[in-house]
Amino acid sequence: MRTTLHGPRVVNYLRLRGLLEAQQPSDPCIARARQHASTVSHPAFAAALHAFIDVLLGQGSTSSRPRSPKTVENYVVAVLPTLEAWTADGLTDPRQITKKHIEAALDPLTGDQARRLHTSLRSLFRALKRERLIFRDPARGVSLTVSRPLPAALPSDRLAGLLNKVDDPCDRRMAALVAVYSLLPGQLVRLLWTDLDRSKGRLRLRRPGRMDHLVYLDAFTLRLATAWELQRRRRWPDSSNPHFFVTRNTAVDDSGPPISAGVVQKTFERLGLRADALRVDRIYDEARHSAGPVRLMELFGLSHLAATRYVLSAHPEKKNGPVAP
């Protein structure tokens, strides 16, 4: 066998020609996505969805970064009603879909529902174009104009004594990382022990597809990290889980899984705040004092557009100035 042979391309070739027996997916989200794709009434659209799933999993004809199983399922669920509606209208092939079909599907939708379908359809047809299952991408020129609310700060009385409301070192550490350094809940879930450099007082945030962002911790936050580390080693001295945050279930799991998003959500429910609202408040407060997007980009790893939105929200008088996008 030639050493230059690319496995994913061979697998994709065999699958498209019905020569490969489908392997039962082990992840429940992927299993549900495959099941949804198999229930599509027209075979051409069903095959297109399966090819879409392959691409999202990094198993297409060209290697790519795999998406999370939940994202794959969400994309498939989002496009299912539209594909069925097109089938009911007499369309029998993804190559028949035009820009007008996509705009008509988006027209009655608003808000998150419109954004979800728009994103999913763009991803679907981009994948089919890359796999050469369609000649042109009909979703490429479709834009969605959605008004996004400017960020606003939380009332000061809701922030007063925030860390005094929780005694658990793990909860206090989570709250501090969001309230002071504006970490996302997903970043809390993915943190590893090796991401903390205690000697340099900094924390590395891994961002798939982007450069890592370094957060420089103050003495108080480092003390909270020490308190959590001591508690963790005392309760689970033999734990080999590489993640920074663990629970009684994940700490003793040899596979080293991360905590779930629900653990983070429950922590902030005990505080009476949402993690995303607390994060927005921290960035808004910094924007109010620094009045410059570059500062926000350096501190929180924001894009220039997101940083500008915060500055304009905190300083409406700059709307027609040099900061405005």
Side-chain angles (χ1 to χ4, degrees), residues 174-197:
M174 281 190 188
L177 288 177
V178 175
V180 180
Y181 300 100
S182 190
L183 266 66
L184 291 162
Q187 291 172 328
L188 295 176
V189 169
R190 294 190 300 268
L191 272 181
L192 304 176
W193 270 117
T194 53
D195 292 335
L196 175 63
D197 188 337

Side-chain angles (χ1 to χ4, degrees), residues 97-320:
I97 305 303
T98 65
K99 181 179 178 181
K100 290 184 177 180
H101 289 119
I102 295 178
E103 289 176 338
L106 293 171
D107 185 59
L109 306 179
T110 59
D112 290 340
Q113 192 176 11
R115 283 193 293 270
R116 191 178 305 113
L117 180 59
H118 179 248
T119 301
S120 302
L121 287 175
R122 288 193 61 181
S123 183
L124 168 65
F125 286 103
R126 186 164 56 242
L128 297 181
K129 177 68 164 56
R130 197 178 74 171
E131 297 297 295
R132 299 183 180 181
L133 298 177
I134 57 176
F135 300 117
R136 63 184 183 279
D137 181 356
R140 184 175 181 179
V142 178
S143 60
L144 186 66
T145 304
V146 180
S147 59
R148 300 182 63 184
L150 291 173
L154 288 171
S156 58
D157 59 338
R158 298 195 66 190
L159 294 175
L162 179 67
L163 295 181
N164 294 330
K165 297 179 182 179
V166 289
D167 299 323
D168 184 76
C170 180
D171 291 349
R172 289 171 65 86
R173 174 66 172 164
M174 281 190 188
L177 288 177
V178 175
V180 180
Y181 300 100
S182 190
L183 266 66
L184 291 162
Q187 291 172 328
L188 295 176
V189 169
R190 294 190 300 268
L191 272 181
L192 304 176
W193 270 117
T194 53
D195 292 335
L196 175 63
D197 188 337
R198 192 182 301 278
S199 63
K200 296 181 180 179
R202 67 187 187 188
L203 187 68
R204 180 174 67 170
L205 301 181
R206 303 168 187 268
R207 303 187 296 183
R210 302 171 59 191
M211 291 182 60
D212 293 344
H213 177 59
L214 294 179
V215 173
Y216 291 88
L217 307 176
D218 58 12
F220 174 73
T221 310
L222 283 173
R223 287 198 300 271
L224 291 179
T226 301
W228 163 234
E229 182 178 4
L230 292 174
Q231 185 195 53
R232 171 176 168 163
R233 294 190 184 281
R234 184 172 59 252
R235 295 185 64 182
W236 306 290
D238 299 325
S239 175
S240 60
N241 192 308
H243 291 88
F244 192 87
F245 293 108
V246 295
T247 64
R248 62 182 180 181
N249 293 324
T250 63
V252 298
D253 192 329
D254 292 338
S255 64
I259 61 174
S260 67
V263 172
V264 179
Q265 180 181 353
K266 289 180 180 179
T267 296
F268 287 91
E269 285 178 354
R270 289 192 287 270
L271 294 172
L273 292 170
R274 297 195 325 272
D276 57 343
L278 190 58
R279 176 179 184 270
V280 166
D281 181 85
R282 173 65 183 99
I283 302 175
Y284 183 90
D285 183 69
E286 186 64 37
R288 189 169 48 194
H289 288 86
S290 63
V294 176
R295 171 71 172 171
L296 303 184
M297 294 166 65
E298 292 175 346
L299 280 179
F300 309 116
L302 300 178
S303 67
H304 69 282
L305 291 177
T308 300
R309 288 180 58 244
Y310 277 100
V311 172
L312 293 179
S313 178
H315 301 275
E317 71 278 3
K318 296 180 178 290
K319 185 173 183 180
N320 299 319

